[in-house]
Structure formats: structure tokens, C-alpha cells
Amino acid sequence: MSYEAPKIRLIMELRKQGITDKRVLSAVERVPRELFVAEALRSEAYDNIPLPISQGQTISQPFIVAYMTQALCLGERDRVLEIGTGSGYQAAVLAQLCRRVCTMERYRSLLAQAEGCFEALKLHNITTRLADGAKGWPELAPFARIMVTAAAPSMPSVLVDQLDQGGIMVVPVGLSGEQALIRVTRQASGFKEERLLDVRFVPLVAGLPPGRA
Ligand code: SAH
């Protein structure tokens, strides 16, 4: 099946929804979303909807991926920390626009699958880690940018502390039903917080799952 027509439709829809950054649109255009979903869902890969992945998790709606990427104001020299690799799709989009993506996931099986996609797409600027992302990645901190793709119950100060001067973090905060996407900017004088959008994300869960999931 050719994905060209649905892909063009999606890009047009994202433009209408306010994604104006051409670099973000072209990154979405370049990353084959169909590779990141189960074969049975490939025909829906360019619908502007979230799709289920394994372990009860979801790959976000393309609009949300594009919106969060745009909100991060990425520079091409930036190193970005992503919490919640999931399918790996968001990391692959980020990897088009910055120097390095460091992405963390708590499910071994999801991470292994995402790594397979990064390999297939020759995305060599993504570093992965199986660990509790709520703790961040202190060995590699500080980061110019941080994106959290699971909802934190409250502003995660551990992650805020791993932001570089001038750094920006985009994070969904709140309990299910009332989550908002927040952008935190670290300024010399302190932190600026902006509430961007109401959202729905799976929760950020502390610790690793039991067994070898
Ligand atoms: N960015 C993903 C979306 C994944 S959904 C994509 O593009 O597909 C959120 C992911 O966050 C899930 O895979 C979930 O397992 C993961 N997650 C939740 N809590 C976590 C934690 N504490 N540390 C690391 N990953 C976590």
C-alpha cells in the first residue's frame, strides 16, 4: 500500500491545526509512522488519531506529536531527553531536528521494538535506556530540551532540575481526565511555566514493571 496520499492529507490537516514550523512538518513527513504500529493498524497510520501499541500504551495522535515538537523550539545542536519511548515514533521525529535524542522507557519489550525501528531507519543519533524516566538521566544531564510523553501527577521537579540554563521542557501534568500540557522554561531569574493545551496521556508510572515485560 502507498502511504503518500494519506500522508499529504495529514500534513495539510496539521497545518490547519496550527503547526506552522516547516521543519516540524517536514520531520513528520519524513518519518514512516506505519513502521511504529502493528501491521493490522498500518492502514490507519496517517489518520490523525492515537493508536494502541503493546503493554496497554499508546502512540500519540500526530497532531500532539507535532504540537509538542513545535512547542519544544528545538535547535539542531540540542540534546533532548525524552521520557516514555513507547513505539519510538516521537523519538524518531525529534531525531530529525536535533543532535541527539536520549530516550527512556520502563518496558523492555517496547524499547526493544523501538530500537529495531531506529536501526531500520538508520537513526544513529538516538540513545536508549531501560529505566524509570521519572528519575531522569542524571549521568547525561543537563539537557537543552526535555519532552515527557506520559502524564506526571504533578510537576516533576527531578526533571526540571535536569534542564540546562535556557532549557525548555514540555510535560503533561495532572491526573486522568484533567491533564494539561505545560511548557517550563529555565531562565536566569527562575522558571517560567505556560499552560498550552488540555491533553490525555497514559500515566507516568514509577519504577520498572515486574518480570521482564
Ligand atoms: N512517545 C511515545 C508515546 C508512548 S506512551 C510514542 O511516540 O509512541 C507513554 C510511554 O511512557 C509508555 O510506553 C510507558 O510505558 C512509558 N512510561 C510511563 N512511565 C514511565 C517511566 N516512569 N519511565 C519510563 N517510561 C515510562
Side-chain angles (χ1 to χ4, degrees):
M1 142 164 203
S2 162
Y3 296 98
E4 275 315 300
K7 190 182 261 192
I8 290 167
R9 257 199 317 274
L10 173 64
I11 299 294
M12 280 167 53
E13 198 174 320
L14 294 178
R15 273 211 197 101
K16 273 196 213 125
Q17 287 180 299
I19 309 301
T20 49
D21 187 330
K22 290 202 175 64
R23 292 169 315 152
V24 173
L25 290 167
S26 102
V28 171
E29 202 172 337
R30 279 198 302 273
V31 178
R33 192 168 184 256
E34 68 275 13
L35 288 193
F36 295 85
V37 301
E39 236 169 296
L41 295 173
R42 290 207 172 147
S43 61
E44 295 169 64
Y46 293 95
D47 292 353
N48 200 1
I49 53 172
L51 292 170
I53 53 177
S54 56
Q55 306 294 354
Q57 306 300 317
T58 46
I59 169 171
S60 301
Q61 181 191 7
F63 167 67
I64 292 292
V65 170
Y67 185 92
M68 288 175 78
T69 306
Q70 180 167 278
L72 213 50
C73 310
L74 280 174
E76 57 188 28
R77 303 296 308 151
D78 287 345
R79 210 160 44 111
V80 182
L81 173 65
E82 184 204 21
I83 309 300
T85 315
S87 68
Y89 176 69
Q90 173 74 74
V93 171
L94 291 171
Q96 310 293 316
L97 300 169
C98 66
R99 179 163 59 91
R100 177 149 301 273
V101 180
C102 305
T103 184
M104 303 179 70
E105 171 56 53
R106 62 191 287 279
Y107 282 110
R108 187 183 300 274
S109 57
L110 285 175
L111 198 60
Q113 228 172 346
E115 285 167 348
C117 292
F118 302 152
E119 195 63 33
L121 295 172
K122 299 192 167 60
L123 295 173
H124 301 305
N125 62 338
I126 303 179
T127 309
T128 60
R129 182 175 181 192
L130 180 75
D132 179 4
K135 299 197 173 79
W137 199 326
E139 299 84 352
L140 298 183
F143 295 92
R145 300 289 184 263
I146 300 179
M147 182 186 286
V148 186
T149 67
S154 59
M155 183 52 75
S157 57
V158 175
L159 298 179
V160 172
D161 288 343
Q162 293 185 17
L163 264 184
D164 211 346
Q165 269 311 326
I168 299 177
M169 171 163 76
V170 176
V171 53
V173 177
L175 302 174
S176 60
E178 40 182 329
Q179 298 170 2
L181 192 65
I182 309 287
R183 175 162 62 188
V184 182
T185 307
R186 178 168 213 159
Q187 300 169 324
S189 54
F191 292 94
K192 178 171 92 175
E193 272 191 34
E194 299 160 273
R195 191 188 166 108
L196 302 179
L197 200 69
D198 288 338
V199 286
R200 263 179 103 155
F201 275 84
V202 295
L204 187 71
V205 180
L208 291 184
R212 291 184 55 85

